[in-house]
Amino acid sequence: MKGGRNRADESLSACGHAQADVSPYKDQEKTVENLQKILSCIRPVDKDYLKRAKLRLNSLTKPLESLGKLEIVAQRYAAIKEDLNPSIDRKMIFTFAGDHGVVEEGVSAYPGEVTIQMVLNMLAGGAAINVLAKHVGAEVTVVDIGVNHDFEPAEGFVINKTGYGTKNFAIGPAMTYEEALKSIKTGIDLVDECAGKGVDIIGTGEMGIGNTTPSSAILCVFTGLPAREVTGRGTGIDNATLQKKADVIEKAINLNRPDTEDPVDVLAKVGGFEIGGIAGLIIGCAFHRIPVVVDGFISTAGALIAVALNPTINEYLFYSHLSSEAGHKQMLDKLGQGPILDLDMRLGEGTGAAIAMSIIEASVKIMTEMATFESAGVDTAL
Amino acid sequence: MKGGRNRADESLSACGHAQADVSPYKDQEKTVENLQKILSCIRPVDKDYLKRAKLRLNSLTKPLESLGKLEIVAQRYAAIKEDLNPSIDRKMIFTFAGDHGVVEEGVSAYPGEVTIQMVLNMLAGGAAINVLAKHVGAEVTVVDIGVNHDFEPAEGFVINKTGYGTKNFAIGPAMTYEEALKSIKTGIDLVDECAGKGVDIIGTGEMGIGNTTPSSAILCVFTGLPAREVTGRGTGIDNATLQKKADVIEKAINLNRPDTEDPVDVLAKVGGFEIGGIAGLIIGCAFHRIPVVVDGFISTAGALIAVALNPTINEYLFYSHLSSEAGHKQMLDKLGQGPILDLDMRLGEGTGAAIAMSIIEASVKIMTEMATFESAGVDTAL
């Protein structure tokens, strides 16, 4: 990163931070130095809590490890919160919306105006994320981080624009370095706002016509995989458009030459405002030790940026589902974590995060509400 | 089947049944003829509703088919209920408990008494199924269909014993043919009882130390696969016990020679009372057109029996998850349906069914609560 390293100093001494309500980034300028400061304050998850949570789970009236992923999720949740008796009462999903200049290359099945229409649909409660969030008891906040439109203020709506859509990265950088930093800071600020208000888990989501294109580009940059191998159909493009989309990505990477050693540069060259917002949200959650549920393909592109800035952040992330968008598996492989669900979904908005949140909540209840062999008078294994 | 065919007559004329509150089996004797009567009244799911539900889903503000399995589940739910605007208000899980004579061969990691202890744990609300059912808003009914103990009556507890545990099928049939019919009827009767009370979805579950052994045996009988290939570790046995378990199953099949053309005979020779109860529950649900969520390995053994009695029944079933018990995949392959979830679970009790119920409910809400492109003023694909 310009003026910094893309690996955080994992020692706490430089930071002295335990768990403040507000990050050192709050009300500070969106400089590299300030981003570096918060990154350096993210500490690893306490492994001792993983062990203690496992002992607790092993004492419950069920065969050892018989709840599989639920038990692993519960252990990780307890360790992040440093609490063997946690409860998930307040769940929030942030759905970042942004537009993409690259849409003018004809890479999407939908016209760019749909970003605006879908934001209004979400504010009216008619989108998939509204239905699924309500089902699992999560609140949705829509964040206009870069839609090419001036919206009226509304309940559950944050307007904090980095810009009115990115530039077409087929002909130059998607955004400036400063805009990339600003989009990240917008995400961090949102967590600063709600961290003191008892939020137990946060989900990521997005809406932005064209945004599988920058997400695929970010994947290509970090893995070196060729675009034709990992580019997918997004909202549903045909074969000719798919070929064009891969070509655009290949061309954009060759033209802009993003620096893999500087994740902010990658975001600026071939990213998107909502991807930066998601990266920032994830950084803010790791700083505040709030478990984050990463939605699908675009959200995982945001996670790639955040984890490249500080690999410790990955310890705070739950990958909700394996998207049916081509390339998502390669992203998860790169991040070294498996998904909780595989429902062939590829909608975005935070829909996968919403469903996975309910599974995570179930796993936490298993850990805290089941009887033990001792309390129930049940014999243990022979 | 003795005195009958193992394929139902799919014409409705013989039955004249639309959707009575009570099956023709209710208060009738547990004869083959009466079982045949209810089987012959099960009609195929109306394919036209699948299409109409798909059209509805395609009109909603999301890319076509972008919610993957959720959309398929919603279509199937609508078709079973013949209702494009269904809601899942009341959910019930039936957890059948039974003991197994084959435990005396030393095939389980837990002593047989644990069946009794776990029934009491469930009635006290301390088991995994209690926690997960509460999380998803489902009611649990524990059914003593064959535990080797006399329980006191309790709330949410049905005592309707086929017997005090099966016999050791390593040395003779697990139960008589009449007992097999009785266990099936117990399951059907439970659905008759609740079908008129607005139950929207029913989940299967079980508890019975040793019951992966009969389930593996049923799998071997219906697929011809050798026991050593499909026998799993159940609650967690070691390698030596695993070998012994496979040997016991192989020996039992050779000794008892279950007739694959007669699923009731298979249940009698190498099954279990709770497996018969689950088969009956599934038959009753198909008769009453109530969607059924099949839990894991043992429940799917019950589904194998039910579907062998009438293949149309499979149209009413949702397979909740892929159990990590060896052999479950082969069961699902035989039944030709994929699971909704894959969470490496192998606990039983109905735990997988509970979690999957919530996913099915989410899918139904997607179909009924989302805005359409038209109502939300969102442009469709280019």
Side-chain angles (χ1 to χ4, degrees), chain B residues 19-90:
Chain B
Q19 190 177 20
D21 277 353
V22 164
S23 75
Y25 210 28
K26 173 80 173 163
D27 301 326
Q28 299 298 311
E29 281 187 71
K30 48 187 187 301
T31 62
V32 167
E33 290 70 25
N34 283 328
L35 176 58
Q36 191 57 43
K37 206 182 284 176
I38 183 170
L39 287 169
S40 71
C41 289
I42 292 167
R43 52 174 162 135
V45 168
D46 186 342
K47 305 293 179 295
D48 192 49
Y49 269 94
L50 291 174
K51 283 184 212 149
R52 290 168 64 192
K54 191 172 166 59
L55 283 177
R56 163 89 198 156
L57 286 160
N58 289 354
S59 75
L60 305 176
T61 49
K62 56 172 186 51
L64 215 61
E65 299 173 3
S66 60
L67 283 175
K69 283 188 196 174
L70 292 195
E71 300 198 29
I72 292 165
V73 163
Q75 288 167 49
R76 292 191 56 216
Y77 190 91
I80 292 170
K81 302 283 279 218
E82 300 190 352
D83 184 353
L84 293 178
N85 199 28
S87 67
I88 300 186
D89 297 316
R90 191 157 180 216

Side-chain angles (χ1 to χ4, degrees), chain B residues 319-378:
Chain B
Y319 293 96
S320 60
H321 78 115
L322 178 65
S323 169
S324 61
E325 175 73 3
H328 195 220
K329 185 170 184 314
Q330 285 87 343
M331 280 186 180
L332 295 177
D333 286 349
K334 172 76 183 170
L335 288 157
Q337 276 199 48
I340 296 173
L341 299 163
D342 180 1
L343 295 168
D344 295 330
M345 287 164 55
R346 52 177 176 81
L347 190 146
E349 297 179 5
T351 50
I355 295 178
M357 268 185 183
S358 176
I359 308 267
I360 295 169
E361 189 179 4
S363 79
V364 166
K365 287 179 177 173
I366 283 290
M367 182 168 60
T368 58
E369 296 180 13
M370 270 183 73
T372 63
F373 282 104
E374 198 179 340
S375 72
V378 174

